[in-house]
Amino acid sequence: MVEAEQLPTTTPPVEQPRTSEPRKLVDIIVSQLETLRTHHRAVLETGAVEAIHKMRVTTRRLQASLDLLAREMKVRKLKRRLRNWRRKLSSVRNYDVFLELIEREAASRGRTRRQQLELVKTILQEKRLQRAAKVGRFLQAINIDTIAIGLGLSGATVEPASETMVIDEKRVAAYAAERLDQRLAEFQALAALSHPTNNPAELHQLRIAAKRVRYLLEIVQEMGFGNASRALTWLRTLQDRIGDWHDLEALEEEIIAVVSAPEFLKHHLAESSQMLNAAAHLQKKKEALVSRLFPVRIPRYVEITSHRIARALRRQSLRVAPPHNND
């Protein structure tokens, strides 16, 4: 995964100048809320794979934005609510990923392997339908506007947002700088300790740490505190590569869980053997990914970019507001 040619640590691409205007955190949050409402409606109306994925990603981005308000207001319950929504969506999204993996594998394999994978696919499609129905009922009952109301915003899009939810931008900038240093240090520590492993918990923690740095950098970049495009590209690639391994691991566990159920095994002895053969094939692919994943070397420009942006945030936090003109 993290081979030099796939995930370069030197000679990064040239940064492009920012083309969009800086936005206040409040306006970013309002925009994220509106995007979340849009994807929520799409999930309820279509149940489409892409809508589920986009709603999940939006909850994570909004959660990262709310995290920067921790010293301005109580946001813990709101973040927990977003996390709960995302976990429900993930329980459906996992099956979508499994089915996509099987589709790709079956297309490039021989007849016997395709038959094994098609059997797995049929079973997982049924489980996906059942899970989607259950999650759909849950999503019908949630109200996206509870997040807006919890922040002091009305349920509808507010213009201008900064007049409805007033926050101390300097305090937010100071906390963002502190948070960025913390997130980067956590990620660097996990990367330094990383070693070739098949331990899902260890790889998951490394991936989560990369996500936290990535989403925080995205927000402060949008707020106008510097260009982080090179660092973001590297973090996104690392996250995706570990995700490829995680998807295979999760699919392997799903197959084993299905086959291990006594009632299923009793009535599907021959099919169980085929499914376990498919799982063994996936296990070999997973091991190959691990062998190319380590060592994880964080390029120097990720640290440089993070420190540069943290300094810009601290300068903003110390800036004295100009006096009001009373003439």
Side-chain angles (χ1 to χ4, degrees):
M1 169 193 137
V2 193
E3 292 176 305
E5 67 272 20
Q6 291 179 314
L7 200 56
T9 58
T10 58
T11 318
V14 177
E15 284 186 352
Q16 298 298 319
R18 287 184 56 84
T19 57
S20 57
E21 290 296 320
R23 304 171 69 197
K24 290 185 177 181
L25 179 60
V26 177
D27 296 323
I28 293 172
I29 290 173
V30 168
S31 177
Q32 289 171 334
L33 281 167
E34 187 57 33
T35 300
L36 187 59
R37 291 186 190 97
T38 299
H39 295 321
H40 179 231
R41 285 194 297 269
V43 170
L44 294 180
E45 293 171 1
T46 69
V49 172
E50 190 64 15
I52 291 172
H53 172 64
K54 287 181 177 180
M55 184 175 174
R56 284 177 64 253
V57 171
T58 305
T59 62
R60 189 175 293 281
R61 288 195 169 118
L62 179 54
Q63 187 178 325
S65 295
L66 296 187
D67 184 59
L68 297 183
L69 296 175
R71 290 182 178 170
E72 295 295 300
M73 61 184 67
K74 295 180 180 180
V75 294
R76 183 173 297 180
K77 289 184 179 179
L78 301 179
K79 288 166 57 181
R80 189 182 304 127
R81 184 170 298 163
L82 288 169
R83 190 181 303 115
N84 185 38
W85 294 351
R86 185 167 61 254
R87 286 174 177 169
K88 294 291 186 182
L89 289 161
S90 294
S91 68
V92 178
R93 173 66 177 169
N94 286 343
Y95 285 110
D96 293 331
V97 171
F98 296 161
L99 293 169
E100 184 180 343
L101 275 172
I102 291 172
E103 194 74 33
R104 290 204 305 265
E105 281 295 306
S108 61
R109 300 297 163 184
R111 179 181 176 184
T112 301
R113 184 72 68 202
R114 282 201 305 272
Q115 289 175 339
Q116 295 168 352
L117 293 170
E118 285 297 328
L119 174 61
V120 175
K121 179 180 175 181
T122 299
I123 293 171
L124 294 186
Q125 282 176 329
E126 180 60 30
K127 290 173 72 69
R128 198 269 185 196
L129 286 173
Q130 294 171 359
R131 173 59 60 177
K134 184 175 181 180
V135 172
R137 291 191 293 272
F138 170 83
L139 293 176
Q140 286 280 359
I142 73 172
N143 183 358
I144 304 299
D145 290 342
T146 58
I147 304 294
I149 294 169
L151 293 170
L153 300 167
S154 68
T157 303
V158 179
E159 293 292 346
S162 56
E163 293 183 7
T164 306
M165 189 173 87
V166 180
I167 63 174
D168 188 331
E169 295 288 342
K170 293 198 295 183
R171 277 169 54 90
V172 168
Y175 183 62
E178 178 184 320
R179 203 65 162 155
L180 184 54
D181 286 343
Q182 176 190 350
R183 295 300 197 200
L184 178 65
E186 290 171 352
F187 175 51
Q188 288 174 319
L190 285 170
L193 295 173
S194 64
H195 58 89
T197 180
N198 280 309
N199 187 327
E202 292 181 17
L203 285 173
H204 180 66
Q205 288 304 314
L206 182 61
R207 188 183 184 209
I208 290 298
K211 281 185 178 183
R212 285 173 173 166
V213 176
R214 171 194 163 190
Y215 284 114
L216 180 50
L217 281 175
E218 285 181 347
I219 294 167
V220 293
Q221 176 178 266
E222 191 170 356
M223 290 167 66
F225 289 98
N227 191 329
S229 58
R230 291 182 294 180
L232 288 170
T233 297
W234 187 88
L235 288 164
R236 191 178 300 112
T237 302
L238 175 65
Q239 176 187 322
D240 289 345
R241 302 298 192 196
I242 299 177
D244 291 342
W245 181 92
H246 180 268
D247 293 340
L248 290 171
E249 169 72 12
L251 178 53
E252 178 188 326
E253 289 185 352
E254 182 72 19
I255 293 172
I256 292 172
V258 170
V259 173
S260 299
E263 194 65 22
F264 180 88
L265 188 59
K266 180 179 179 180
H267 294 94
H268 302 88
L269 282 174
E271 293 90 339
S272 296
S273 175
Q274 292 180 346
M275 290 176 67
L276 288 174
N277 281 331
H281 168 71
L282 294 172
Q283 191 173 71
K284 290 179 181 178
K285 291 200 65 172
K286 184 181 67 176
E287 291 170 354
L289 281 175
V290 166
S291 68
R292 293 186 288 135
L293 173 58
F294 299 96
V296 177
R297 296 190 179 94
I298 304 175
R300 178 68 174 159
Y301 60 80
V302 172
E303 180 178 3
I304 292 172
T305 298
S306 298
H307 289 337
R308 170 172 49 79
I309 290 178
R311 286 195 299 270
L313 286 162
R314 288 192 173 92
R315 285 196 297 270
Q316 172 67 18
S317 70
L318 297 173
R319 189 168 296 161
V320 177
H324 292 291
N325 187 346
N326 295 321
D327 293 341

